[in-house]
Amino acid sequence: MNIQNADLHCHSNVSDGTLTPEELAARAKANGVELWALTDHDEVGGQQRAAQAAAALGLPYLSGTEISVTFAGETVHIVGLGFDVADPGLAAGLARTRGGRELRAREMSADLERVGIAGAYEGALKYVGNPDLISRTHFARYLVEVGACRDTQEVFRKYLTEGKPGYVEHRWATLDDAVAWITGAGGIAVVAHPGRYKFSANEEYALFSHFKDIGGRGVEVVTGSHTAQDYVKYAGVAAEFGLFASRGSDFHSPSESHTDLGSLPFLSSGLSPVWEALSERVQV
Ligand code: AMP
Ligand code: MN
Ligand code: MN
Ligand code: MN
C-alpha cells in the first residue's frame, strides 16, 4: 500500500463530533484522504455507516474507536484500528466504559451550578447525538452558547479541566483492558496523542513499556494536537519501543477544529506506518 494521506483519527456525532459519519466520509474524500478511519470515543455505533459511506466513495476504510483509560491517575486515550466491529468482547467493554458518563455528567452539571451556571446537563444534552455518550465537549458547546466563554478552547482553559469548575474526577477502563479488547477483536492498539498527557519522563516511559508488554503496537506521531517538536519526539519513541506510527487529524467539527481531515504533514520516512500492518483489514 503506497499510502501517505491516511487519516486514522476523527469523531462523528455518534460521539462528540458535529458531522455524521456520511458527512465525514465525504469530507475525507474531498480533502484527498487515501485511507480513513472513524474513531468515535468508546463507541463503534457509527462504524457500519462510516464503512458503507466510504465504500460508496471508493475510499479505503479501517474500523476505529478511541478508548478512554486511566493510567497513573491520568486519562489516556487508546485508538483501536482494524478490529472486527461485531466482536462481543469489545462491545461489552465499550458499553461498560460508556456506562459511567451519565452520572459523571450530572455531577459536572451540579458543580457548574455552584459557580452560577444552571441547567448545564439539559443544555449539554441538546448537543448530544448519542445519549450513551455525553462528553465534556457537549458541555463546552453549552458553555459557549450561554456566553460563559467565546469558544470551546477557552472553555477547556477555564472550565471542565482539573481544578476548574465542572471538572469531575473519573475512572475509565484500565490500559490492560482496552488493549485486550482491541487485540482480542483482531485490531491494533495505538497510543493516541501522547504529547497531550501531563506525564513525567518516568511515567511516560512506564506507559510505553507497559503498553508494549501487553501487546500494544502503535503510537500516534502526527496528530492535530502535536507540535512539530512532538512529531520528532514521538518518532523517536516509535523507534525506541518498536511501535508502528499513526497519523490522524482528531477532527471534531468544521467550526471548532483547527486541523481538518487529511491536512497534516505526512509521516516522515523511516517510520513504519501502522496501516502497513493492517493491509488485510482495509475495507475497499
Ligand atoms: P470526555 O471524554 O468527556 O472527558 O471529553 C474529552 C473530549 O473533550 C476530548 O475528546 C476533546 O474532544 C475535548 N477536549 C478535552 N480537552 C480539550 C482541550 N484542551 N481543548 C479542546 N477540546 C478538548
Ligand atoms: Mn473528543
Ligand atoms: Mn483523544
Ligand atoms: Mn479523538
Side-chain angles (χ1 to χ4, degrees):
M1 264 192 299
N2 189 20
I3 285 171
Q4 301 232 68
N5 198 354
D7 194 318
L8 306 182
H9 189 151
C10 69
H11 300 273
S12 76
N13 63 358
V14 174
S15 64
D16 61 347
T18 61
L19 302 183
T20 63
E22 291 80 7
E23 288 167 336
L24 286 169
R27 194 177 183 99
K29 180 75 181 176
N31 288 2
V33 171
E34 299 166 289
L35 174 65
W36 176 51
L38 171 66
T39 55
D40 279 314
H41 296 284
D42 307 321
E43 174 65 276
V44 292
Q47 289 303 307
Q48 210 182 341
R49 288 170 59 192
Q52 268 172 12
L57 293 161
L59 172 62
Y61 185 76
L62 279 170
S63 60
T65 187
E66 181 179 21
I67 306 180
S68 316
V69 315
T70 303
F71 181 85
E74 282 276 334
T75 298
V76 168
H77 286 170
I78 301 297
V79 162
L81 296 170
F83 50 82
D84 171 7
V85 299
D87 184 83
L90 175 66
L94 293 180
R96 187 145 47 88
T97 305
R98 286 194 301 272
R101 284 186 178 270
E102 168 72 21
L103 178 62
R104 171 194 188 231
R106 293 195 183 270
E107 291 172 357
M108 287 168 64
S109 187
D111 198 57
L112 287 167
E113 206 151 337
R114 184 176 61 82
V115 296
I117 298 168
Y121 176 79
E122 293 74 16
L125 265 190
K126 287 188 297 177
Y127 295 94
V128 167
N130 170 1
D132 243 17
L133 215 115
I134 183 161
S135 90
R136 284 187 290 159
T137 315
H138 303 113
F139 279 86
R141 291 183 185 132
Y142 177 69
L143 291 181
V144 172
E145 177 194 317
V146 298
C149 292
R150 272 190 318 277
D151 56 30
T152 53
Q153 301 292 327
E154 188 184 343
V155 174
F156 284 102
R157 285 195 299 274
K158 296 186 174 163
Y159 297 91
L160 311 185
T161 47
E162 211 172 331
K164 306 285 162 62
Y167 181 72
V168 172
E169 179 98 35
H170 194 73
R171 274 204 94 71
W172 301 103
T174 65
L175 179 64
D176 294 55
D177 278 347
V179 172
W181 299 336
I182 293 163
T183 55
I188 286 186
V190 176
V191 176
H193 45 61
R196 267 173 63 165
Y197 311 129
K198 295 182 189 76
F199 285 137
S200 66
N202 280 344
E203 288 168 334
E204 187 176 72
Y205 186 89
L207 169 68
F208 282 107
S209 49
H210 186 62
F211 178 71
K212 176 82 182 176
D213 282 348
I214 60 178
R217 295 179 66 196
V219 56
E220 283 185 348
V221 172
V222 173
T223 108
S225 35
H226 279 179
T227 62
Q229 281 176 330
D230 289 329
Y231 298 163
V232 175
K233 174 174 177 190
Y234 292 103
V237 166
E240 181 182 357
F241 289 90
L243 296 169
F244 290 106
S246 194
R247 171 180 186 267
S249 56
D250 208 357
F251 180 77
H252 282 71
S253 160
S255 59
E256 295 164 12
S257 297
H258 49 89
T259 307
D260 206 342
L261 283 158
S263 68
L264 288 170
F266 297 149
L267 291 181
S268 57
S269 61
L271 288 169
S272 302
V274 70
W275 50 91
E276 288 182 358
L278 285 164
S279 52
E280 318 250 283
R281 314 291 299 185
V282 173
Q283 304 168 62
V284 280

